[in-house]
């Protein structure tokens, strides 16, 4: 129903062009509240108070004022919540700095290697001590809390690291999260990051209560913490006894300490709980002692920890180290040994992947390992089955580490009499096409390609998976069902599903067993929410062999738009072209990957598939890491010896300033940084008329931008 009062107010408002700064600020505050009220009414209660057109008008007004007064954009601005709130009912929040994940180390050698990489990257001498903060890795879910002028304004889940969900009202119910920061030296603005978790005792109480009221028990404390935080009613979250350890930060307006450990102490004085086991260690040996100590005491902590995180203490070093593929170079997670269990192999079956690779999988008698029920384990490939000599009916030992698929370690008891050894099929169990084992590869492949339904289903699963289109509500079962009913045969079919629903020989999805109108509406909303997608996700979603997330991101940054990329791929079929040279200049793209890419985009079937997708959705240029630096969007080549920083650091610095780093000079190169000993690349640069600078000039050009918060960056660009 439309409330006349709300409508009148929107129409009465003065034109945005007439507003003074102070009026604009007040108006933005009013709009933020108003829009958020309507969001809640619409998404949480499904009871809108105003028409869609009036709602759009409020959003347009907000955007118009923000455009005139960019400095007034609020942390809780409706424009910072991207897209429609997810089907889940929470508004989306774009993190101003990504929430990273951590690389894993499993052995002490891995940890030593991590430190070795840090040393080499920074160019530190062997005898220089590298102080490390060691602290438990809490098995919960991370959250980011934005404080402005010391007041808690916005709290978000990690989501995919770039976009999370607004769970402010739920986080407010946690006693460990201060509403107002204490102490004097709080930055004007800071995003505090840490882990939300549930203690074992509270987890046990919760499950008991769940079972008593005929509700499902949670599998482990981590799931129950996640479930409790994502409640639409914060009053329920408030009853769930969640805790929070602060261990880091995202964007901040000023840096009150220059070490990780110093920052932890600040967080503590501001009113956060920091983990009491966090230690500053002078060197690796001390850090490993802390690891062993935490592991010994692990069972008595009262909450789940799955390892120890090591972080380089000096923040200037952290800034120089930067990140690679979504993980910081300055931190690593030293995992505790995986939990193990014994069970029986009931069957060995072949699973066909999206590129045709065939993986033998052991179906197990279900067993609980580390709080999770496991019923399958991967056997990797033919050679691995031979090595383990595992057969149906054998009792085996399995292990589960983190979220990875459980592994089968070995046979502990053979069945007697012994079953037959597993025979790898000569033909694909899904499409009957011949199976080949390519030279130099361990995997056998189904040669069915586009005709193999197992490959097609896996490609569809990949397309909607978390790091690709991330469409909620489309799991293995749902996709198989849609496939079997011939409703979805290729990615573009997801986007036409709603329009075709109920118009085929199948009944509407809402009438399918186990669905209902809410699930169907949620599914369509989740699909619609992805009609605009970042270009790197789009490329990754295509599932081209050897194109992982990192390469997809580099491709997106190199070409900017899908059309530009398609054009370049077509032109690159000519190996003498500048486009081919540009493709090869992308890190991680050698001749083999280049030919796979070119062949993929040249294949008429793939081109048609892309056309059909382009009809349904739009791709967004991938976000540049930093705007307005002197080298944003430029292509830079390093050559010769660098004396003040390692080559790796120079490359990563250039990338973090928004530049593309290429390995060879072409007509498309914008800048060459040449050190002593530069040879052919320098000559080529001169031949192409490309700007060449030396290392000192490079340092002057890049220095002011490194590690600067976006606020300082903006200030710098305003004066330069
Ligand atoms: S640091 C910048 N410290 O582990 C690095 N993470 O695998 C990112 N986690 O998403 C976080 N305890 O949810 C850090 N003491 C700790 C942690 C911790 C748990 C989680 C966090 C992160 C994940 C990465």
């Amino acid at each position: 129903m439309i409330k006349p009062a709300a409508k009148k107010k929107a129409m009465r408002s003065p034109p945005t062009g007439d507003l003074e700064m102070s009026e604009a600020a007040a108006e933005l505050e009013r709009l933020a509240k108003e829009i958020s009220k309507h969001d809640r009414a619409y998404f949480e209660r499904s009871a809108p108070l105003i028409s869609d057109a009036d709602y759009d008008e409020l959003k347009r007004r907000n955007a118009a004022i923000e455009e005139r007064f960019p400095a007034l954009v609020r942390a809780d601005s409706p424009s910072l919540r991207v897209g429609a709130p997810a089907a889940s009912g929470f508004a989306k929040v774009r993190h101003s700095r990504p929430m990273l994940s951590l690389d894993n180390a499993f052995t002490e050698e891995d940890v030593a290697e991590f430190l070795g990489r840090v040393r080499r990257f920074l160019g530190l001498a062997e005898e220089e001590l590298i102080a490390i903060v060691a602290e438990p890795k809490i098995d919960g879910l991370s959250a980011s809390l934005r404080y402005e002028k010391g007041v808690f304004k916005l709290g978000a889940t990690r989501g995919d690291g770039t976009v999370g969900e607004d769970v402010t009202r739920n986080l407010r119910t946690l006693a460990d999260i201060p509403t107002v920061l204490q102490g004097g030296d709080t930055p004007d603005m800071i995003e505090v990051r840490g882990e939300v978790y549930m203690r074992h005792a509270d987890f046990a109480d919760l499950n008991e209560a769940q079972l008593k009221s005929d509700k499902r028990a949670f599998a482990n404390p981590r799931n129950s913490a996640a479930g409790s935080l994502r409640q639409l009613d914060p009053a329920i979250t408030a009853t769930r006894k969640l805790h929070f350890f602060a261990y880091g930060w995202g964007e901040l307006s000023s840096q009150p300490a220059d070490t990780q450990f110093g920052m932890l102490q600040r967080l503590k004085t501001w009113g956060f709980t920091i983990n009491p086991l966090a230690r500053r260690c002078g060197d690796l040996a001390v850090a490993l002692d802390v690891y062993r100590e935490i592991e010994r005491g692990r069972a008595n902590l009262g909450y789940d920890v799955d390892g120890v995180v090591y972080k380089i203490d000096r923040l200037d070093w952290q800034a120089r180290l930067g990140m690679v593929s979504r993980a910081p170079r300055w931190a690593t997670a030293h995992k505790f040994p995986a939990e193990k269990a014994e069970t029986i192999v009931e069957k060995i079956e072949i699973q066909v992947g999206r590129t045709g690779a065939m993986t033998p999988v052991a179906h197990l008698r279900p067993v609980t390992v580390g709080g999770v029920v496991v019923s399958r384990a991967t056997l990797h490939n033919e050679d691995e089955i031979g090595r383990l000599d595992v057969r149906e009916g054998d009792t085996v030992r399995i292990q589960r580490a983190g979220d990875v698929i459980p592994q089968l370690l070995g046979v502990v008891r053979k069945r007697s009499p012994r079953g037959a050894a597993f025979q790898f099929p000569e033909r694909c169990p899904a499409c009957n096409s011949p199976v080949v084992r390519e030279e130099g590869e361990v995997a056998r492949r189904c040669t069915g390609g586009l005709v193999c339904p197992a490959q097609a289903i896996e490609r569809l699963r990949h397309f909607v998976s978390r790091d690709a289109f991330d469409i909620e509500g489309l799991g293995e079962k749902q996709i198989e069902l849609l496939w079997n009913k011939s409703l979805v045969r290729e990615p573009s079919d997801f986007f036409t599903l709603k329009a075709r629903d109920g118009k085929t020989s199948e009944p509407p999805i809402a009438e399918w067993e186990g669905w209902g109108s809410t699930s169907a509406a949620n599914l369509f909303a989740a699909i619609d929410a992805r009609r605009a997608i970042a270009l790197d996700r789009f490329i990754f979603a295509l599932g081209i062999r050897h194109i992982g997330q990192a390469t997809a991101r580099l491709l997106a940054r190199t070409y900017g738009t899908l059309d530009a990329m398609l054009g370049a791929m077509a032109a690159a079929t000519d190996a003498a072209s500048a486009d081919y040279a540009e493709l090869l200049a992308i890190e991680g793209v050698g001749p083999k990957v280049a030919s796979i890419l070119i062949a993929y985009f040249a294949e008429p079937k793939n081109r048609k598939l892309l056309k059909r997708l382009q009809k349904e959705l739009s791709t967004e240029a991938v976000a540049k890491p930093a705007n307005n630096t002197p080298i944003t969007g430029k292509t830079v080549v390093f050559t010769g010896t660098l004396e003040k920083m390692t080559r790796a650091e120079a490359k990563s610095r250039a990338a973090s300033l928004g530049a593309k780093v290429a390995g060879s000079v072409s007509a498309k190169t914008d800048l060459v940084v040449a050190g002593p000993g530069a040879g052919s690349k320098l000559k080529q640069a001169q031949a192409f008329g490309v700007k060449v600078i030396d290392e000192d000039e490079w340092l002057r050009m890049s220095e002011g931008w490194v590690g600067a918060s976006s606020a300082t960056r903006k200030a710098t660009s305003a004066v330069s």
Side-chain angles (χ1 to χ4, degrees), residues 100-102 135-138 142 158 195 247 309 311 328 330:
L100 304 177
S101 49
L102 290 168
E135 63 191 20
K137 184 168 189 300
I138 315 298
S142 49
R158 177 176 185 278
E195 202 82 353
Y247 52 63
V309 185
K311 301 175 184 173
W330 47 265

